[in-house]
């Protein structure tokens, strides 16, 4: 008994039960160790498989350079941050007072200090590790900025304000900003660590009545605060250079207020901040917070007065009343820099008084342009390629096809082209298993191409088709192992004499069983060893890679297979174009990817959002990628990249070898970019002006075609890219997004022959939709004028309809409506689909051309069939079963579009024969419709079609007799000459260009 409480006697030691907590205490460290090991193995797997991938494409130097730079920055900054924070903790601990300045805020508070004192090494080690990881991780992410600074190349152009080479702003300034940010982080974290340590051990107590910080704490705080203020002074000094790329109210760059108020205020504030830092450092000796406090107040008040109130007052009192005059020289700087940074200096703007009526001799002069008008819309015809050339359900084509040029029978034609890729997601459910997905259906097969300006029965005229491929594009390796729709990974290869398992073609050349193939390319990562199989089983989280018997000693794994992704990895400093395109080059199918070097630090150049400037109705649809959301104010198409579709090899060619940014990266990654002279003639013939860069340039030229500061300020000549009318009318979710540019072969005024060009149009900014300018850039890489912008500016007093207005005419024209009525009727089972609305200069004016397709609305295997061609010139609107028929109507004359095999010319004496053929075809179509109407019991329709057949036969007879006849025309009213059948698979004649 003790104090009335009975004490139980202790049991002998031998009889004490064993504590049950021993095993859990041993289990927790084991689990933690396993977690750490798993994390480390995951990191090792990612790094090592990256190394193997880079070695597989002979770009190991890229991997080693990037990894070495990241490790270097991680170690330097991480160790520096950890050392600074730990050093301040140690200093604070060792200078702690023997007696706290004031009692602790709570009874248990001192226990934290005792606990840290007992386990000080562990606590410091944990903090150091966290600082190392935090600082190192942040620093390693800045490897691009460091490498660009380390290998910087002068631009040879001097900034007019600070008299520095542009390279200082593009390369040096960003790195100085990064260093400043790390400096802030290190000093601020050190200050926080010192405050917490002093607080724990009583050296800093804000609640104390007298002295709130010990002498040692004051010294440490003063030094760290002085360093922070000194860094702020450096920040103010750097801000001066940042004004050249800051977004002012009107433009990017130094404005009048920036030059006369913000710039001097930054210089003054930098001096004040240096003096204030000196007061903090002096506090080490004087041990009083009065002077540093006064200095801090002065700095804050100066920042408010000089940094905010002074610029605002100057803007309101001096600039705003006469802004055009005050800002004029700065606007001029912005215009000049913007045109330089975006490659717009050579844009040629000429007045073009477009005619609304064309004379026969003008049409004759432009006759050779007409066969090049592309009627096959690559954004519409994808389902036609798929239904007619898919061969098997597991093959696929992209939604939006590509446009290229090929020489067929001695003549270069615009060609719509696509690659037949394998898509395992389309396999029937019963065929889906790991072996089929990753070892059998490994590659696509062949290229499909069609003339851009011809159709046969409403479907494309193939220049390359079928499987195995046949056509006019020559022999080439048809297997597509690397493409835009390839499986995430495939395992290929087999020992010599081993059984082939990869499906090559569904049938042999003469039918029968499928043919099988074994991959023999140099691409891919070998996974014959157990170690590599384990790594990739971990990477893809798929144990089958480790367990399957299909993986043998000669196996390779193919992954990261899309051409855009491969270029991004091979050249991580490039921004690839959103739309790689395939081409047959030197007997190989390759993907051509345009690569851009960009910057957001070109002084005085206007900043734009890359994703916004490149967005149109095709962006993000199908395989066309959207650009990242980032601001830029400099861009060059510096590299043409080529990815081999068979072996995945990546070749980078210096295209704009005068670009200082490209030179900088070539120094950082020597030997990875080949000289332009290494481009083969065959590859050169397929290179073209890049689409995304053109979109950025046309976005800027809408305003920066103006070079006069006064006009620029007034926005009196501001243009915009019109909305895509076909997307708006169809209820597309991408309404009010820009019309895409179009690749066309056309001849601009002053040119002697048609050129493959990238084109766009402008309308005035605001509610008006009439045309204000037409723009084309020479897109042929072999042309001496490649990249030259030609802008045809229409006079302000001339009302030429824009794309939206022309499209409205097409929609409301009674003749066209009647022609399309059988297709669009609710019970017809079809609908009309409008293709791209093309614009091109012709006959002294501007011609609009738009194909119309018929698409079944229900049933399997539907695809668009070209039915009509709509044209507009001036106020005239017409349609026809062929481009020639439509042009004849709108011009009220016989316009020869060369509807003969390529390379031949229609003699004048044979032109009546063309009319006879067309009239007989119209008569046959009318007779077919008449019989269909009679079968349905529609006597009125039967009689109407008989009348149309008679009219067509009369035209044929007149033409055969040699007497010119006026083809029924459709001027603004556009009455139809031969309405189409409602069945979309029975088009009238073959629309050709």
């Amino acid at each position: 008994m003790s104090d009335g409480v009975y004490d139980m006697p202790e049991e002998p030691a031998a009889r004490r039960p064993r504590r049950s907590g021993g095993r859990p205490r041993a289990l927790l460290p084991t689990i933690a160790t396993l977690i750490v090991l798993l994390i480390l193995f995951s990191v090792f797997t990612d790094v090592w498989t990256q190394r193997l991938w880079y070695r597989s494409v002979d770009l190991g130097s890229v991997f080693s350079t990037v990894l070495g730079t990241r490790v270097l920055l991680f170690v330097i900054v991480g160790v520096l941050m950890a050392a600074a924070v730990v050093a301040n903790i140690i200093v604070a601990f060792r200078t702690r007072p023997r007696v706290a300045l004031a009692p602790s805020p709570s009874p248990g508070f001192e226990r934290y200090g005792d606990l840290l004192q007992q386990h000080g090494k562990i606590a410091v080690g944990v903090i150091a590790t966290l600082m190392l990881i935090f600082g190192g991780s942040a620093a390693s992410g800045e490897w691009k900025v460091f490498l660009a600074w380390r290998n910087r190349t002068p631009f040879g152009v001097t900034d007019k304000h600070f008299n520095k080479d542009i390279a200082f702003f593009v390369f040096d300034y960003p790195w100085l900003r990064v260093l400043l940010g790390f400096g802030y982080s290190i000093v601020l974290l050190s200050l926080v660590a010192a405050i917490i340590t002093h607080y724990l051990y009583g050296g800093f107590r804000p609640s104390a009545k007298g002295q709130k910080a010990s002498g040692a704490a004051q010294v440490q705080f003063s030094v760290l605060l002085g360093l922070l203020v000194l860094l702020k002074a450096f920040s103010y000094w750097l801000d001066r250079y940042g004004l050249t790329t800051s977004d002012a109210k009107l433009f990017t760059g130094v404005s009048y207020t920036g030059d006369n108020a913000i710039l001097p205020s930054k210089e003054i504030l930098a001096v004040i901040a240096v003096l204030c830092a000196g007061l903090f450092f002096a506090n080490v000796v004087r041990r009083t917070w009065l002077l540093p406090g006064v200095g801090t107040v002065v700095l804050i008040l100066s920042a408010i007065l000089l940094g905010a109130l002074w610029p605002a007052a100057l803007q309101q009192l001096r600039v705003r009343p006469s802004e055009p005059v005050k800002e004029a020289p700065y606007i001029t700087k912005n215009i000049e820099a913007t045109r330089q940074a975006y490659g717009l200096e050579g844009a040629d703007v000429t007045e073009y008084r477009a005619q609304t009526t064309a004379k026969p001799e003008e049409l004759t002069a432009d006759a050779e342009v007409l066969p090049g008008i592309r009627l096959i819309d690559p954004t519409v015809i994808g389902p036609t390629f798929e239904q007619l050339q898919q061969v098997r359900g597991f093959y696929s084509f992209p939604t939006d096809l590509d446009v290229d040029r090929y020489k067929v029978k001695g003549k270069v034609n615009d060609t719509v082209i696509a690659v037949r890729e394998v898509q395992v997601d389309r396999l029937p459910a019963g065929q889906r298993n790991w072996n089929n997905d990753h070892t059998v259906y490994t590659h696509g097969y062949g290229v499909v191409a069609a003339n851009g300006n011809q159709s046969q029965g409403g479907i494309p005229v193939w220049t390359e088709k079928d499987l195995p491929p046949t056509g006019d594009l020559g022999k080439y390796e048809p297997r597509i192992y690397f493409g835009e729709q390839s499986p995430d990974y495939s395992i290929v290869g087999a020992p010599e004499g081993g059984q082939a398992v990869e499906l090559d073609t569904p049938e042999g050349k003469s039918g029968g069983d499928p043919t099988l193939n074994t991959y023999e390319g140099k691409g891919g990562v070998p996974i014959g060893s157990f170690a590599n199989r384990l790594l990739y089983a971990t990477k893809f989280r798929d144990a089958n890679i480790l367990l399957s018997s299909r993986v043998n000693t000669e196996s390779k794994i193919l992954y990261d297979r899309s051409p855009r992704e491969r270029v991004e990895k091979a050249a991580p400093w490039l921004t690839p174009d959103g739309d790689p395109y395939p081409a047959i080059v030197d007997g190989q199918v390759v993907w051509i990817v345009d690569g851009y070097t960009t910057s957001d630090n070109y002084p005085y150049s206007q900043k734009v959002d890359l994703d916004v400037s490149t967005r149109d109705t095709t962006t993000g649809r199908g395989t066309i990628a959207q650009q990242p959301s980032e601001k830029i104010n400099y861009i060059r198409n510096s590299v043409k990249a080529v990815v081999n579709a068979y072996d995945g090899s990546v070749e980078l060619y210096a295209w704009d070898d005068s670009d200082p940014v490209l030179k900088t990266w070539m120094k950082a990654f020597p030997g990875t970019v080949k000289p332009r002279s290494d481009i083969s003639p065959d590859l050169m013939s397929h290179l073209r002006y890049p689409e995304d860069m053109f979109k950025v340039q046309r976005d800027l030229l809408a305003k920066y075609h103006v070079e006069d500061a006064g006009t620029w300020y007034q926005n009196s000549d501001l243009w915009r890219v019109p909305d895509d009318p076909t997307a708006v009318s169809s209820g597309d979710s991408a309404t009010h997004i820009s019309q895409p540019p179009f690749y066309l072969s056309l001849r601009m005024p002053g040119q002697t022959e048609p050129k493959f060009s990238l084109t766009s149009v402008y309308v005035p900014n605001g509610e008006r939709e009439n045309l204000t300018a037409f723009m084309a850039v020479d897109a042929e890489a072999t042309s001496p004028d490649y990249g030259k912008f030609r802008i045809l500016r229409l006079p302000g007093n001339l009302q030429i309809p824009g794309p939206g207005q022309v499209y409205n005419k097409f929609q409301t024209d009674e003749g066209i409506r009647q022609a399309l009525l059988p297709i669009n009727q609710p019970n017809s089972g079809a609908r009309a689909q409008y293709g791209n609305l093309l614009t091109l200069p012709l006959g002294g004016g501007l011609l609009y051309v738009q194909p119309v397709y018929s698409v079944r609305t229900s049933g399997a295997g539907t695809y668009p069939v070209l039915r009509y061609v709509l044209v507009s010139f001036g106020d005239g609107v017409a349609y026809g079963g062929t481009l020639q028929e439509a042009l004849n109507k709108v011009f009220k004359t016989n316009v020869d579009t060369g509807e003969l095999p390529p390379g031949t010319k229609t003699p004048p004496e044979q032109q009546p024969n063309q009319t006879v053929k067309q009239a007989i075809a119209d008569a046959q179509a009318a007779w077919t419709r008449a019989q269909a109407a009679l079968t349905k019991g529609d006597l009125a329709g039967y009689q109407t079609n008989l009348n149309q057949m008679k009219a067509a036969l009369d035209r044929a007879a007149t033409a055969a007799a040699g007497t010119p006849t006026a083809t029924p025309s459709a001027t603004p009213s556009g009455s139809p000459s031969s309405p189409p059948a409602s069945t979309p698979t029975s088009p009238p004649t073959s629309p050709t260009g």
Side-chain angles (χ1 to χ4, degrees):
M1 298 288 294
S2 176
D3 296 329
V5 179
Y6 178 77
D7 292 328
M8 293 289 293
E10 282 191 358
E11 292 182 359
R15 296 183 181 179
R16 288 178 190 168
R18 183 176 296 178
R19 293 182 181 178
S20 60
R23 187 169 297 172
R25 280 201 298 268
L27 183 61
L28 291 176
T30 303
I31 294 175
T33 302
L34 288 175
I35 292 174
V36 170
L37 289 176
L38 286 174
I39 293 173
L40 292 176
F41 182 70
S42 177
V43 172
F44 172 77
T45 297
D46 181 64
V47 172
W48 199 257
T49 53
Q50 291 284 357
R51 175 180 177 270
L52 294 175
W53 186 92
Y54 277 99
R55 289 181 63 185
S56 73
V57 291
D58 296 327
L59 289 171
S61 61
V62 175
F63 172 80
S64 59
T65 300
V66 174
L67 181 62
T69 305
R70 296 186 69 142
V71 170
L72 177 67
L73 293 175
F74 183 96
V75 171
I76 291 176
V77 177
V79 168
L80 188 60
M81 181 173 289
V85 172
V86 169
N88 277 275
I89 291 175
I90 293 174
V91 169
F93 176 76
R94 291 185 175 178
T95 59
R96 67 192 184 281
R98 293 183 178 181
V99 179
L101 298 178
S104 59
S106 64
F109 188 80
E110 293 180 354
R111 295 179 183 175
Y112 293 108
D114 295 338
L115 186 64
L116 289 175
Q117 190 169 350
Q118 294 172 9
H119 304 283
K121 292 183 178 180
I122 297 176
V124 169
V126 170
I127 293 172
T129 302
L130 291 176
M131 292 299 103
L132 175 68
I133 294 173
F134 172 74
S137 299
S140 66
E142 301 292 343
W143 66 269
K144 289 183 184 179
V145 182
F146 172 76
L147 279 179
W149 167 77
R150 181 68 180 81
N151 298 278
R152 59 195 179 278
T153 301
F155 274 65
V157 179
T158 303
D159 152 64
K160 297 179 181 179
H161 205 99
F162 296 99
N163 199 32
K164 288 184 175 292
D165 190 275
I166 302 298
F168 170 81
F169 301 92
V170 174
F171 303 123
D172 294 18
Y173 175 76
W175 178 241
L176 292 175
R177 276 293 180 191
V178 168
L179 292 179
L180 179 64
F182 288 139
Y184 270 130
S185 298
I186 291 171
V187 176
L188 189 59
L189 288 172
S190 298
L191 178 62
V192 171
I195 290 173
I196 292 174
T197 306
H198 279 295
Y199 191 79
L200 284 173
Y201 293 103
F204 174 58
R205 292 292 165 84
S207 60
K209 294 183 178 180
Q211 186 179 3
K212 300 182 184 299
S214 65
Q218 288 190 49
V219 170
Q220 192 169 1
F221 294 167
S222 297
V223 172
L224 292 173
L225 288 170
L227 289 174
L228 275 178
V229 178
L230 200 59
L231 288 172
K232 185 61 180 175
F234 183 54
S235 176
Y236 280 133
W237 192 255
L238 279 184
D239 287 346
R240 298 161 55 251
Y241 303 114
L243 287 174
T244 61
T245 54
S246 64
D247 287 325
K249 177 185 174 183
L250 295 174
F251 50 83
T252 298
V254 180
S255 62
Y256 181 89
T257 300
D259 192 14
N260 293 278
I262 299 177
L263 186 61
S265 72
K266 295 292 184 183
E267 295 172 346
I268 296 171
L269 287 171
V271 174
I272 294 174
V274 170
L275 296 176
C276 185
L279 294 176
F280 276 103
F281 294 140
N283 197 41
V284 173
V285 179
R286 294 189 55 114
R287 305 287 178 88
T288 174
W289 291 101
L290 178 61
L291 291 179
V294 171
T296 303
V297 171
V298 170
L299 180 61
I300 294 173
L301 291 176
S302 300
I304 295 172
L305 293 173
L306 299 176
L309 296 182
W310 180 19
L314 184 68
Q315 180 70 27
Q316 290 294 323
L317 300 178
R318 293 195 61 184
V319 177
R320 190 172 182 181
S322 54
E323 193 170 48
V325 177
K326 298 293 185 183
E327 299 288 12
Y330 304 98
I331 291 174
T332 300
K333 281 186 180 181
N334 173 259
I335 293 173
E336 292 175 353
T338 301
R339 292 173 67 89
Q340 288 173 358
Y342 291 97
L344 306 176
E345 312 102 300
D348 183 15
V349 182
T350 58
E351 295 295 324
Y352 185 67
R353 190 163 188 84
Q355 305 295 320
T356 55
T357 57
K359 299 178 182 178
E361 57 270 20
E362 292 173 324
L363 295 176
T364 302
D366 284 336
E368 63 179 335
V369 176
L370 299 178
I373 298 178
R374 180 173 49 75
L375 301 178
I376 303 300
D377 184 354
T379 66
V380 172
I381 209 69
T384 305
F385 271 53
E386 187 150 295
Q387 290 300 322
L388 301 183
Q389 288 295 317
Q390 184 182 27
V391 182
R392 289 293 187 272
F394 49 81
Y395 288 127
S396 69
F397 294 95
T399 305
D400 291 10
L401 310 183
D402 293 291
V403 179
D404 200 355
R405 295 96 63 221
Y406 283 88
K407 181 176 285 188
V408 177
K409 298 179 181 178
K411 184 178 180 181
V412 177
N413 292 327
D414 290 0
T415 302
V416 178
I417 188 170
V419 168
R420 185 187 290 107
E421 296 196 54
V422 68
Q423 200 165 18
V424 295
D425 291 340
R426 294 189 173 191
L427 288 171
Q431 292 181 250
R432 294 300 303 276
N433 56 64
W434 186 87
N435 286 311
N436 280 346
D437 286 1
H438 298 291
T439 67
V440 176
Y441 296 93
T442 59
H443 60 280
Y445 205 95
V447 164
V448 176
N451 278 328
N453 60 339
Q454 291 181 329
S455 73
Q456 184 72 36
I459 64 175
V461 174
W462 310 110
T463 54
E464 191 74 18
K465 62 178 182 176
D466 296 341
L467 201 159
T470 60
D472 301 318
L473 303 188
K475 293 183 178 180
Y476 60 92
E477 170 55 63
R479 297 173 181 87
I480 311 298
Y481 281 91
F482 296 86
E484 295 176 308
Q485 302 180 72
S486 297
D488 55 349
Y489 75 88
S490 294
I491 295 176
V492 298
E496 187 175 351
Q499 182 180 2
V501 296
E502 301 174 44
L503 180 70
D504 211 28
T505 58
E507 295 179 354
K509 293 184 178 180
S510 57
D513 295 332
T515 59
L516 302 177
N517 176 68
T518 297
Y519 179 72
E520 297 179 352
K522 64 178 183 179
V525 177
I527 57 169
S529 67
F530 176 81
N532 283 2
R533 291 169 69 174
L534 177 61
L535 287 173
Y536 281 97
T538 304
K539 178 181 178 64
F540 290 105
R541 295 176 175 84
D542 193 339
N544 290 301
I545 297 176
L546 193 62
L547 303 175
S548 175
S549 60
R550 286 284 177 90
V551 184
N552 54 72
T553 56
E554 299 299 320
S555 290
K556 292 182 176 181
I557 186 168
L558 311 178
Y559 64 101
D560 291 344
R561 302 166 74 173
S562 75
R564 197 170 187 270
E565 185 177 14
R566 294 182 79 79
V567 171
E568 282 181 312
K569 292 188 69 172
W573 41 273
L574 278 179
T575 300
D577 190 89
D579 187 20
Y581 61 99
I584 299 175
V585 175
D586 298 321
Q588 297 286 325
V589 179
V590 301
W591 296 93
I592 299 175
V593 187
D594 287 286
Y596 308 120
T597 48
T598 62
S599 174
D600 62 347
N601 285 292
Y602 196 97
Y604 314 108
S605 174
Q606 190 66 31
K607 287 186 178 180
V608 298
D609 292 307
L610 183 60
D611 61 327
V612 175
S613 290
T614 56
R615 187 183 305 158
D616 58 33
T617 49
T618 65
T619 305
R621 190 173 66 188
T623 56
I624 300 178
Q626 184 172 330
Q627 290 293 352
S629 178
E630 61 182 28
K631 283 188 174 292
I632 64 167
N633 67 353
Y634 174 90
I635 187 170
R636 289 289 185 272
N637 176 211
S638 54
V639 170
K640 300 288 188 181
V642 177
V643 178
N644 191 293
Y646 181 67
D647 61 27
S649 59
V650 181
E651 303 289 348
L652 305 174
Y653 297 97
W655 184 249
D656 186 354
D657 47 16
S658 64
D659 175 27
V661 182
L662 173 61
K663 291 179 180 179
T664 294
W665 291 116
M666 289 177 68
K667 287 196 291 184
F669 298 97
T672 59
V673 181
K674 296 182 177 181
R676 181 170 177 164
S677 57
D678 284 1
I679 299 177
S680 69
D682 196 11
L683 175 58
M684 184 70 77
S685 67
H686 292 284
L687 300 182
R688 67 187 191 188
Y689 199 82
E691 199 165 352
D692 278 348
M693 182 168 168
F694 178 83
K695 293 176 187 177
V696 172
Q697 291 171 318
R698 74 169 179 176
D699 183 40
L700 283 156
L701 279 170
K703 186 168 187 176
Y704 285 89
H705 67 277
V706 176
E707 298 184 62
D708 176 70
T711 306
W712 189 97
Y713 173 83
Q714 295 168 5
N715 283 335
S716 57
D717 195 18
L718 191 62
W719 302 342
R720 64 178 172 86
V721 179
D723 296 337
D724 189 346
T726 59
V728 173
S729 70
S730 63
D732 195 299
S733 59
T735 56
H736 306 299
I737 296 183
S738 300
Q739 184 183 40
F742 300 117
Y743 286 103
L744 289 174
S745 289
L746 55 83
R747 181 172 61 196
M748 295 288 282
Q751 290 184 319
T752 57
E753 58 184 15
K755 293 287 187 180
F756 185 68
S757 305
L758 190 53
T759 67
S760 188
V761 297
Y762 292 108
V763 296
N765 191 44
E767 297 299 324
R768 296 169 60 202
E769 291 291 335
N770 56 289
L771 200 68
T772 191
F774 173 84
M775 179 174 71
V777 61
D778 193 332
E780 288 187 15
T782 56
S783 170
D785 290 332
Y786 171 84
K788 181 175 179 58
F789 282 86
R790 293 180 171 87
I791 302 175
L792 304 181
R793 177 194 180 104
L794 279 67
N797 59 355
L798 188 64
Q799 297 295 314
I800 299 294
Q805 294 171 333
V806 169
Y807 188 75
N808 184 67
K809 285 184 178 182
F810 288 158
Q811 293 280 304
T812 57
D813 180 80
E814 187 60 31
I816 295 175
R817 286 171 60 87
Q818 288 296 322
L820 298 180
L821 185 60
I823 301 176
N824 285 326
Q825 284 182 344
N827 59 353
S828 68
R831 64 178 175 85
Q833 182 173 356
Y834 291 82
N836 41 210
L837 182 55
L838 308 176
T839 312
L840 67 159
L842 182 80
L846 287 164
L847 176 71
Y848 287 94
V849 178
Q850 185 172 36
V852 179
Y853 298 83
S854 174
V855 187
R856 280 192 332 202
T857 56
S858 61
T862 63
Y863 59 88
V865 174
L866 182 59
R867 297 300 304 275
Y868 284 110
V869 180
L870 313 182
V871 297
S872 174
F873 188 90
D875 295 327
V877 174
Y879 75 95
T882 66
L883 175 61
Q884 178 172 343
E885 181 184 352
L887 292 175
N888 288 345
K889 292 178 181 179
V890 79
F891 291 123
K892 301 180 183 179
T893 185
N894 187 23
V895 180
D896 177 24
T897 62
E899 293 187 54
L900 289 176
T904 60
K905 188 72 175 177
T906 306
E909 64 273 10
Q910 292 185 13
Q911 289 181 6
N913 291 337
Q914 295 293 106
T915 305
V916 172
K917 291 179 182 179
Q918 180 64 53
I920 291 175
D922 289 345
Q924 290 174 336
W927 172 252
T928 301
R929 293 193 300 274
Q931 294 302 310
L934 184 61
T935 301
K936 295 178 181 179
D938 181 8
L939 297 179
Y942 176 71
Q943 186 60 49
T944 299
N945 283 287
L946 285 181
N947 293 338
Q948 292 176 355
M949 182 182 71
K950 182 179 182 303
L953 291 175
D954 289 343
R955 292 203 315 271
T958 303
T963 305
T965 180
T967 305
S969 61
T971 51
S973 60
S975 59
S977 64
S978 55
S982 60
T983 307
T985 55
S986 303
T989 53
S990 304
T992 64

